[in-house]
Amino acid sequence: MSIDLSGKTALVTGAASGIGEAVARTLAAAGAAVVVTDLATQFDKAAAVVEAIVAGGDAAEFRALDISQEEQWISVTKHVRERYGALDVLVNNAGVVLVKPLVETTLEELRWISRINIEGVFLGVKHAVPLLRLRGQANPAGASIINFSSAMGIKGYPFGSLYSMSKGAIRLFSKSIALEFAQLHYNIRVNSIHPGLVDTAMVAHESEKLSALGAMGTSTSEEMRQAFQNLNPLGRLGTPQELANAVLFLASDLSSFVTGSEMTVDGGETAQ
Ligand SMILES: NC(=O)c1ccc[n+]([C@@H]2O[C@H](COP(=O)([O-])OP(=O)(O)OC[C@H]3O[C@@H](n4cnc5c(N)ncnc54)[C@H](O)[C@@H]3O)[C@@H](O)[C@H]2O)c1
């Protein structure tokens, strides 16, 4: 059985590259009209993603959106209402990482990571809920919010405490609003996704920073990448497409009884 998202509208944040790009392409290929969003500075990359989707006969458009800026959420959700009438799927994918010993970390860095990884997700949910409720009323399978947390939102890891703090917040935020929206009969399902190490620019950045700190006995980013692969029982990094496959399920009506769940897509890393 193939998954069909025809007639649905999805908004994906941080969709110019990495996991978000794979999510946007996958949802569009399944038939959804996809609003590809990312920072205005990522316009060229985002435009290429949209161009490839449209060239394949599917539907997408780009809207600039810095998720930490409330007025930008207001403007993008207003556009979605005017153009599509409502929203079926919100994928809060955009995020940033910080790799540093705690004692060198500043309050400003905590505020920076919180503004994006926590406030950005809160703002997205808050401003998209009225649009998602409209679809929840019309579709017994419910509208769907998918929030990106991390394996680091479940387990602790050295040199990533602020990132773990932010991703742990997303895990329980997602569960709490899943319960609240069910109790309020919004018919909006909410789930968090917890990737392990996935082969994107974020992991390249992490391996460089961690090897410079000598983490796990490594001294080069190549050694760190190998150490990353050994962190999970499957012994490799995940691909952006493997994360997009999980999002596809949660976005679709096939996951109609799934809410408040934390889906690990981590090669078994957090099962250990
Ligand atoms: N790659 C991994 O190993 C991994 C592991 C666990 C969790 N995650 C999570 O998965 C999500 C995607 O990660 P990725 O590896 O694709 O990251 P990435 O760094 O490759 O891409 C992130 C995207 O988000 C965008 N972005 C950054 N700040 C933004 C902002 N303020 N507003 C809007 N867009 C912004 C970037 O421009 C970029 O396109 C993130 O939430 C990340 O924390 C990734």
Side-chain angles (χ1 to χ4, degrees):
M1 178 178 22
S2 63
I3 296 184
D4 184 11
L5 301 185
S6 312
K8 292 191 192 291
T9 303
L11 189 155
V12 186
T13 67
S17 62
I19 296 170
E21 173 184 352
V23 168
R25 286 175 183 264
T26 301
L27 299 187
V34 179
V35 184
V36 170
T37 70
D38 209 303
L39 299 170
T41 53
Q42 301 302 302
F43 174 81
D44 289 350
K45 283 189 196 165
V49 173
V50 168
E51 215 171 282
I53 291 173
V54 172
D58 299 314
E61 62 164 333
F62 174 66
R63 305 300 292 186
L65 173 63
D66 178 337
I67 61 163
S68 66
Q69 303 301 314
E70 185 161 27
E71 72 284 358
Q72 295 188 24
W73 272 111
I74 291 169
S75 150
V76 167
T77 48
K78 181 169 178 280
H79 167 79
V80 170
R81 185 185 286 276
E82 286 166 3
R83 177 151 181 190
Y84 305 97
L87 189 66
D88 298 275
V89 180
L90 170 67
V91 185
N92 279 314
N93 161 78
V96 288
V97 72
L98 182 72
V99 176
K100 235 180 173 184
L102 188 273
V103 292
E104 293 173 18
T105 306
T106 65
L107 180 57
E108 193 35 57
E109 284 170 325
L110 172 59
R111 289 180 176 150
W112 168 75
I113 208 165
S114 304
R115 269 198 305 276
I116 300 169
N117 290 3
I118 299 177
E119 293 179 24
V121 173
F122 158 73
L123 290 172
V125 169
K126 179 176 164 64
H127 291 289
V129 155
L131 295 172
L132 291 158
R133 280 185 74 186
L134 292 172
R135 281 290 200 264
Q137 280 162 11
N139 178 4
S144 176
I145 296 175
I146 299 144
N147 291 331
F148 268 77
S149 176
S150 170
M152 292 178 72
I154 297 177
K155 281 173 69 171
Y157 294 79
F159 306 115
S161 54
L162 298 193
Y163 180 76
S164 278
M165 187 195 274
S166 70
K167 292 298 186 178
I170 294 310
R171 174 173 171 266
L172 285 184
F173 174 65
S174 303
K175 288 186 193 297
S176 296
I177 58 175
L179 298 178
E180 182 175 318
F181 294 172
Q183 210 168 87
L184 293 171
H185 305 293
Y186 285 2
N187 207 16
I188 301 172
R189 299 179 291 104
V190 187
N191 296 285
S192 56
I193 288 211
H194 300 259
L197 289 149
V198 183
D199 201 359
T200 68
M202 185 176 279
V203 153
H205 171 83
E206 281 178 71
S207 36
E208 202 172 297
K209 295 277 179 195
L210 283 167
S211 58
L213 290 165
M216 297 167 75
T218 64
S219 57
T220 65
S221 53
E222 204 29 65
E223 282 173 13
M224 192 65 228
R225 199 179 151 87
Q226 190 54 51
F228 274 162
Q229 296 185 23
N230 297 338
L231 274 181
N232 71 64
L234 295 189
R236 63 175 177 85
L237 299 182
T239 65
Q241 185 61 53
E242 288 174 311
L243 271 297
N245 295 342
V247 172
L248 178 61
F249 169 68
L250 291 175
S252 77
D253 294 352
L254 289 183
S255 57
S256 50
F257 201 48
V258 183
T259 194
S261 80
E262 47 187 273
M263 184 183 279
T264 56
V265 186
D266 64 355
E269 187 175 333
T270 49
Q272 303 171 105

